[in-house]
Amino acid sequence: MLGPSVSRQRDFSPPADSSAPARKSDPVNTTVDPRIAGELATIVGSANVLTSEVDLLAYGYDGTWFESRPLCVVMPGSTAEVQAIHSLATRERLALTPRAMGSGLSGGSVPLAGSIVLSVMRMNKILEIDAVDAVAVVEPGVVTADLQRAVEARGLFYPPDPSSLKQSAIGGNVAENAGGARCLKYGVTSDYVAALDVVLPGGQLVRTGGRMVKNVTGYDLRSLFTGAEGTLGTIVEVTLRLLVRPRYTKTATAAFDHLEDAASAVVAILGAGLLPTSIELMDNLTMRCVEESRPAGLPIDSDALLLFAVDGNYAEIVDAELHRIAEIASEHGARSTRVAADAEESARLWEARRAISPSLARKTPHKLGEDISVPRSQLVPMVREIRAIAERNGLLIPVFGHAGDGNLHPNILCDRRDPEQMARVRVAAREIFEAAVALGGTLSGEHGIGLLKKQFMELDLGVEALALMRRIKDAIDPLGIMNPGKVFPDPGGSDAFELPSK
Amino acid sequence: MLGPSVSRQRDFSPPADSSAPARKSDPVNTTVDPRIAGELATIVGSANVLTSEVDLLAYGYDGTWFESRPLCVVMPGSTAEVQAIHSLATRERLALTPRAMGSGLSGGSVPLAGSIVLSVMRMNKILEIDAVDAVAVVEPGVVTADLQRAVEARGLFYPPDPSSLKQSAIGGNVAENAGGARCLKYGVTSDYVAALDVVLPGGQLVRTGGRMVKNVTGYDLRSLFTGAEGTLGTIVEVTLRLLVRPRYTKTATAAFDHLEDAASAVVAILGAGLLPTSIELMDNLTMRCVEESRPAGLPIDSDALLLFAVDGNYAEIVDAELHRIAEIASEHGARSTRVAADAEESARLWEARRAISPSLARKTPHKLGEDISVPRSQLVPMVREIRAIAERNGLLIPVFGHAGDGNLHPNILCDRRDPEQMARVRVAAREIFEAAVALGGTLSGEHGIGLLKKQFMELDLGVEALALMRRIKDAIDPLGIMNPGKVFPDPGGSDAFELPSK
């Protein structure tokens, strides 16, 4: 068993190279020093330091294929305990990987070798729901669906809905600045983060933002920590803005013979000043996968389906807007449109939407889910590009996503035991990113960069912006102990798409 | 005439103390080195380097009382020229103070001694208005009202409306993250900044953000530069999000016998799920000042007036919401409510709102305008505090502002030739800040910190958050050449309210 050794320092300490993961040739500690484990146990209690093989496996993955074995898992129960863990990590130059539910889709919470997982899941209390200030104060381990139930019981509304299963936790959502289907009308998570308590790498506690609606005092640290994917500190408390729950929500669908017509209809609907809660897209392959695994009556004889939700406080307006949407869809080539007759039909359609990800997972042994985001005007070209890329590389790439936001989830179906196919997957993934960036879009609309897309950061941001982000990282985390190996490209790493391999 | 001397380096270069202005005892250059002026003229043309006494006066003030004489004024016409100016400033350790229209209310663009004003007002082109992506691409010198006219002619809408006179420029609005009356429904400037091109202190050009709706690729640099008040770089291009213009806007008023009832009504209206475009408050003293200088028929026999705007695409809904608002106001003690009969009556009311600032300026020789922001639940206590502070200090402090946002503008009326009164003004201003912070609020909702409030930053943010902002400043501007003396408190400075003196 190794102590807090030179190799660990080499892995994490030089600021200029601070978030580089251990190279394959470096010796890396694979078990935790008993002295460190003892100090952690003193902080959080020995029941909250996990070191068994099965626990290390359980905390070594997320929603991607990436897997890695942490040194150990520590589960603080309070802000003070998080601060003490950070102080210890700073003193001993230990890497920390903050983790909430582990439902992320970019490998952001997968602990690179030599890293300690800091799980916030014991910090799972809803501390306050205040209807007057319209905020909820929560610990980072609160599960999104639980918060939504609690605020809706008070007639309030927390719109971000980042996971199809809602089983993500608030801390992870904030770390990724996650989105969800309702972003079109209601925005991303960062729009709802009123205040954020963050433990800095060295253990200092910083409060950013507040309950007030307007706040321009100093730099916007709240936005900086939101979406930083745990590379700048650990989020220990979140104050979220709430809305008053809209009284009515209704659903409509439009089926198209051509996916590109569906994309054009989206542009026309938004251009007419209509603002649905959601405009979700499923292409034919996506619909067929859903129908195979969980029949929902989707129109699999059509090329693409748009699913619209409209909400508001006036039933007649909600109806009028849905009908206007259906009208515009028809004008743009929809073969059929339908307003869901009742809540039951509406629920069935949204269940089908939520079933996409698990259904695709059943189609082939693996899938690589992407998350590109393009300007609204580039939706049609982007859809065209994805289809060409699939064709050219001989791959199945179902396309679905938040079409109204320009945020698409092309999923590359594959079998990672097939090296020849995986070479094509790698090419296709790269081509999708390049197309998105060339169209004025970006690598990630809501899942974050994590491990999966870090090698493409320079392609997207350019040398100067990436260097600036690195300077901010080094200023806040000079020892590079926070979630190393994430977001920033490996300095000596290949420019290839990072794919997990067994 | 002095060269790029040691004293200038002492003023601006040490990173640990990088934004400290020259102390009174330091020798400060007061005229520009002819060699520097020559190099600037080579970059921008000699007509665009201003050095005459009258020009230096004209570029030495903003919307506050602060005045200072820059070394010279340089007016670049392009991004490349801004980059060249930054490179020169870096090489010569010259301080730069970016400036747009100079309409700011916190001294943010007042050049401290030894600083060069970098005026962006020649960069005043609307480069593009794109209805599909719903964005406008503008240079920083575009005047807000001009942009609004241009987009409204296309059926589009740019909600931020930061100046009552609309004569502020986009670059300044973004630098301050300014707000305005419509923030309640539509948010602050940062919600509309899709992308920002910024020239970093050393001259590198960085693009942050993009036209896409969702973007979580790397750290949120866009939000960091928005509201940084020119301390991190010069904004050279802004891509602004646009909305589709709502079809109907109507106005209503409610007069109250007690200011506190007005504040309670605001809380009740928002709690009922109504979301007006604006809820503006004027207290009795504010109304009387307006009526004295520009009669508008305001109910000066009442203690407070609320002015509501509601907009939307359905006339009947707009009407229904206004009537519901009036009803709730009555339930909360309004002595009278009125829905404006027509566009003319509505325009007259909003003209009265816009007349507040000039009217107060006529009441006494000077006024100190504040900009505190508190959580909605603290509106009543805050209003009570301001009245008590006015009483205790024997001062007139009319209160008006964006009550729906919790963003109030208490204005301390004064005569700065009266030192005894000014001592009380200083105490009252400090007490207002302390009360706002104690109630969970902040120093500035939309005007920024600039010179005026920098000594209160630690009171508001605490030691650790302020230290973190300083680390970010030093990482991005290690030589401290960007807008020195702003935002951050003077290390050796007094903890007193910074008041300009003649």
Side-chain angles (χ1 to χ4, degrees):
Chain A
M1 228 173 264
L2 298 173
S5 68
V6 172
S7 77
R8 194 184 289 130
Q9 293 224 8
R10 193 164 62 230
D11 294 339
F12 301 118
S13 56
D17 194 30
S18 59
S19 62
R23 298 205 194 108
K24 292 208 167 56
S25 57
D26 287 341
V28 166
N29 293 333
T30 54
T31 51
V32 65
D33 182 332
R35 182 176 59 82
I36 301 293
E39 285 206 47
L40 290 171
T42 305
I43 296 168
V44 297
S46 55
N48 296 312
V49 180
L50 312 181
T51 56
S52 78
E53 200 57 36
V54 63
D55 285 329
L56 299 187
L57 275 174
Y59 285 86
Y61 67 90
D62 71 347
T64 63
W65 313 332
F66 290 105
E67 280 176 49
S68 185
R69 202 174 164 285
L71 272 191
C72 67
V73 179
V74 58
M75 309 187 71
S78 69
T79 293
E81 290 180 8
V82 174
Q83 291 184 271
I85 294 165
H86 276 242
S87 298
L88 172 65
T90 294
R91 194 188 78 212
E92 301 283 344
R93 306 290 192 269
L94 292 162
L96 296 174
T97 298
R99 177 187 170 94
M101 274 295 272
S103 60
L105 293 169
S106 66
S109 67
V110 171
L112 290 196
S115 192
I116 292 172
V117 164
L118 192 165
S119 165
V120 297
M121 289 311 292
R122 283 181 62 223
M123 297 174 71
N124 61 359
K125 284 187 285 299
I126 297 175
L127 301 170
E128 189 184 349
I129 295 174
D130 182 323
V132 176
D133 285 340
V135 294
V137 184
V138 304
E139 291 186 324
V142 168
V143 169
T144 308
D146 293 341
L147 176 69
Q148 286 174 329
R149 260 191 301 274
V151 303
E152 285 174 26
R154 307 270 305 262
L156 297 165
F157 183 43
Y158 177 65
D161 195 16
S163 157
S164 9
L165 300 170
K166 300 188 180 187
Q167 285 306 315
S168 59
I170 297 294
N173 299 348
V174 171
E176 285 174 11
N177 194 10
R182 294 194 289 231
C183 283
L184 179 57
K185 181 166 179 179
Y186 291 111
V188 287
T189 301
S190 58
D191 297 317
Y192 293 87
V193 176
L196 213 49
D197 285 7
V198 179
V199 174
L200 299 185
Q204 309 92 325
L205 177 64
V206 166
R207 155 148 288 211
T208 71
R211 289 186 181 205
M212 67 297 275
V213 174
K214 286 155 88 177
N215 176 1
V216 298
T217 301
Y219 300 155
D220 186 353
L221 297 179
R222 188 175 43 98
S223 297
L224 183 63
F225 285 107
T226 303
E229 304 189 33
T231 63
L232 299 178
T234 300
I235 292 165
V236 289
E237 190 180 295
V238 189
T239 302
L240 295 165
R241 292 189 202 294
L242 304 174
L243 303 178
V244 173
R245 189 167 52 153
R247 271 182 230 129
Y248 304 97
T249 303
K250 289 187 91 170
T251 304
T253 57
F256 293 81
D257 284 332
H258 303 287
L259 177 54
E260 292 173 10
D261 288 346
S264 300
V266 169
V267 171
I269 288 162
L270 296 171
L274 294 156
L275 188 57
T277 320
S278 317
I279 305 181
E280 297 290 301
L281 170 76
M282 300 184 209
D283 75 353
N284 179 271
L285 185 51
T286 303
M287 287 190 276
R288 280 190 285 122
C289 289
V290 171
E291 288 295 315
E292 276 170 31
S293 87
R294 182 182 180 135
L298 298 177
I300 54 173
D301 56 337
S302 67
D303 194 33
L305 183 73
L306 290 177
L307 183 58
F308 303 93
V310 172
D311 68 13
N313 288 329
Y314 302 91
E316 60 277 32
I317 301 299
V318 169
D319 281 333
E321 298 211 327
L322 271 181
H323 283 101
R324 180 81 191 109
I325 286 167
E327 212 171 82
I328 297 174
S330 296
E331 288 161 19
H332 284 77
R335 61 190 285 177
S336 66
T337 64
R338 179 173 168 77
V339 174
D342 49 28
E344 200 183 326
E345 184 179 350
S346 175
R348 189 176 52 74
L349 287 163
W350 289 101
E351 273 161 34
R353 169 63 185 88
R354 278 192 288 272
I356 293 175
S357 215
S359 300
L360 297 182
R362 254 168 248 162
K363 182 81 177 170
T364 48
H366 305 104
K367 68 183 173 77
L368 181 69
E370 275 317 325
D371 173 37
I372 48 119
S373 174
V374 296
R376 200 183 281 174
S377 60
Q378 304 305 314
L379 205 50
V380 175
M382 189 68 223
V383 159
R384 209 174 273 159
E385 282 290 339
I386 295 168
R387 293 211 150 175
I389 290 165
E391 175 99 7
R392 198 159 60 228
N393 293 287
L395 294 165
L396 293 179
I397 312 185
V399 176
F400 67 97
H402 317 301
D405 304 328
N407 181 204
L408 298 175
H409 297 307
N411 270 244
I412 310 177
L413 303 186
C414 55
D415 180 346
R416 62 177 163 145
R417 295 160 304 188
D418 177 347
E420 184 279 324
Q421 189 195 53
M422 290 312 290
R424 284 182 282 126
V425 169
R426 204 179 284 262
V427 169
R430 184 182 181 86
E431 288 177 352
I432 289 172
F433 289 148
E434 285 172 342
V437 171
L439 294 171
T442 190
L443 299 178
S444 180
E446 51 185 22
H447 297 170
I449 299 303
L451 281 170
L452 195 65
K453 284 169 271 190
K454 64 182 182 177
Q455 296 308 118
F456 292 89
M457 286 289 275
E458 190 178 312
L459 167 74
D460 187 326
L461 299 169
V463 178
E464 294 293 357
L466 185 57
L468 185 61
M469 289 184 191
R470 168 73 74 183
R471 271 195 270 169
I472 292 168
K473 163 75 175 171
D474 291 342
I476 298 179
D477 181 23
L479 300 174
I481 64 168
M482 292 309 302
N483 206 1
K486 309 296 169 58
V487 179
F488 294 96
D490 299 338
S494 91
D495 194 25
F497 187 60
E498 185 94 15
L499 274 188
S501 54
K502 256 274 184 310
Chain B
M1 233 173 260
L2 300 171
S5 67
V6 172
S7 78
R8 194 184 291 130
Q9 293 222 10
R10 193 163 62 231
D11 293 341
F12 301 118
S13 55
D17 193 32
S18 59
S19 62
R23 300 205 193 107
K24 295 212 162 54
S25 57
D26 285 345
V28 166
N29 293 332
T30 53
T31 51
V32 66
D33 182 332
R35 184 177 59 81
I36 301 293
E39 285 205 49
L40 289 171
T42 306
I43 295 168
V44 298
S46 55
N48 295 311
V49 179
L50 313 182
T51 55
S52 78
E53 200 56 34
V54 63
D55 284 330
L56 300 188
L57 275 175
Y59 285 86
Y61 67 91
D62 72 347
T64 63
W65 312 333
F66 291 105
E67 279 177 49
S68 184
R69 201 173 165 286
L71 272 191
C72 67
V73 178
V74 58
M75 309 187 71
S78 69
T79 293
E81 290 179 8
V82 174
Q83 292 183 270
I85 294 164
H86 276 241
S87 299
L88 172 64
T90 294
R91 194 188 77 212
E92 301 285 343
R93 306 290 192 269
L94 292 163
L96 296 174
T97 298
R99 178 187 170 95
M101 275 295 272
S103 60
L105 293 169
S106 66
S109 67
V110 172
L112 291 196
S115 192
I116 292 172
V117 164
L118 192 166
S119 166
V120 297
M121 289 310 293
R122 282 181 63 222
M123 297 173 71
N124 61 359
K125 284 187 284 299
I126 297 175
L127 300 170
E128 190 184 348
I129 295 173
D130 182 324
V132 176
D133 285 340
V135 293
V137 184
V138 304
E139 291 184 326
V142 168
V143 169
T144 309
D146 293 340
L147 175 69
Q148 287 174 330
R149 260 191 300 274
V151 303
E152 284 173 26
R154 307 271 304 262
L156 297 166
F157 184 43
Y158 177 65
D161 196 16
S163 159
S164 9
L165 299 169
K166 299 186 179 189
Q167 285 305 317
S168 58
I170 297 294
N173 299 347
V174 172
E176 286 173 10
N177 193 10
R182 294 193 290 231
C183 283
L184 179 57
K185 180 166 179 179
Y186 292 111
V188 288
T189 301
S190 58
D191 297 317
Y192 293 87
V193 176
L196 215 49
D197 285 7
V198 179
V199 173
L200 298 184
Q204 310 92 325
L205 177 65
V206 166
R207 156 149 287 210
T208 71
R211 290 185 179 205
M212 66 297 276
V213 174
K214 285 155 88 178
N215 176 3
V216 298
T217 301
Y219 300 155
D220 186 352
L221 298 179
R222 188 174 42 98
S223 298
L224 183 63
F225 286 107
T226 303
E229 304 188 33
T231 63
L232 298 177
T234 300
I235 292 166
V236 290
E237 191 180 294
V238 189
T239 302
L240 295 165
R241 293 189 201 294
L242 304 174
L243 303 178
V244 174
R245 189 167 51 154
R247 269 181 234 131
Y248 305 97
T249 303
K250 288 186 92 170
T251 303
T253 57
F256 293 81
D257 283 332
H258 302 287
L259 177 54
E260 292 174 11
D261 288 347
S264 301
V266 170
V267 170
I269 288 161
L270 296 171
L274 294 156
L275 189 57
T277 321
S278 317
I279 305 181
E280 296 290 301
L281 171 76
M282 301 184 210
D283 74 353
N284 178 270
L285 184 51
T286 304
M287 286 191 276
R288 280 190 284 121
C289 290
V290 172
E291 288 296 315
E292 276 171 29
S293 87
R294 184 182 177 135
L298 298 177
I300 53 172
D301 55 338
S302 67
D303 193 34
L305 184 72
L306 290 177
L307 184 57
F308 303 93
V310 172
D311 68 12
N313 288 329
Y314 303 92
E316 60 277 34
I317 301 299
V318 168
D319 282 331
E321 298 211 325
L322 272 181
H323 283 101
R324 181 79 191 108
I325 286 167
E327 212 170 82
I328 297 175
S330 296
E331 288 161 20
H332 284 78
R335 62 190 285 177
S336 66
T337 63
R338 177 172 171 79
V339 174
D342 50 29
E344 200 182 325
E345 185 180 349
S346 175
R348 188 175 52 73
L349 286 164
W350 289 100
E351 272 161 33
R353 168 63 185 88
R354 278 192 288 273
I356 293 175
S357 215
S359 300
L360 296 183
R362 253 168 249 162
K363 181 82 177 170
T364 48
H366 305 103
K367 68 183 173 80
L368 181 69
E370 275 316 325
D371 174 36
I372 48 120
S373 174
V374 295
R376 200 183 283 174
S377 59
Q378 304 305 313
L379 205 51
V380 175
M382 190 68 222
V383 159
R384 208 174 275 159
E385 281 291 340
I386 295 169
R387 293 211 150 174
I389 290 165
E391 175 99 6
R392 198 159 61 230
N393 293 287
L395 294 166
L396 292 179
I397 311 184
V399 176
F400 66 97
H402 317 301
D405 303 329
N407 181 203
L408 297 175
H409 297 308
N411 270 244
I412 309 178
L413 303 186
C414 55
D415 180 345
R416 62 176 164 148
R417 295 161 303 188
D418 177 348
E420 184 279 326
Q421 189 194 52
M422 291 312 289
R424 285 181 282 127
V425 168
R426 204 180 283 262
V427 170
R430 183 180 182 87
E431 288 176 350
I432 290 172
F433 289 148
E434 285 172 339
V437 171
L439 294 171
T442 191
L443 299 178
S444 180
E446 52 185 22
H447 297 170
I449 300 302
L451 282 170
L452 195 64
K453 283 168 274 189
K454 63 182 182 177
Q455 294 308 117
F456 291 88
M457 287 289 275
E458 191 177 311
L459 168 73
D460 186 327
L461 299 169
V463 176
E464 294 292 357
L466 184 59
L468 185 61
M469 289 184 190
R470 167 73 73 183
R471 272 196 269 168
I472 292 168
K473 163 74 175 173
D474 291 341
I476 298 179
D477 181 22
L479 299 174
I481 63 169
M482 293 308 303
N483 206 2
K486 310 295 169 61
V487 179
F488 294 96
D490 299 339
S494 90
D495 193 24
F497 187 62
E498 184 95 16
L499 274 188
S501 54
K502 258 271 174 348

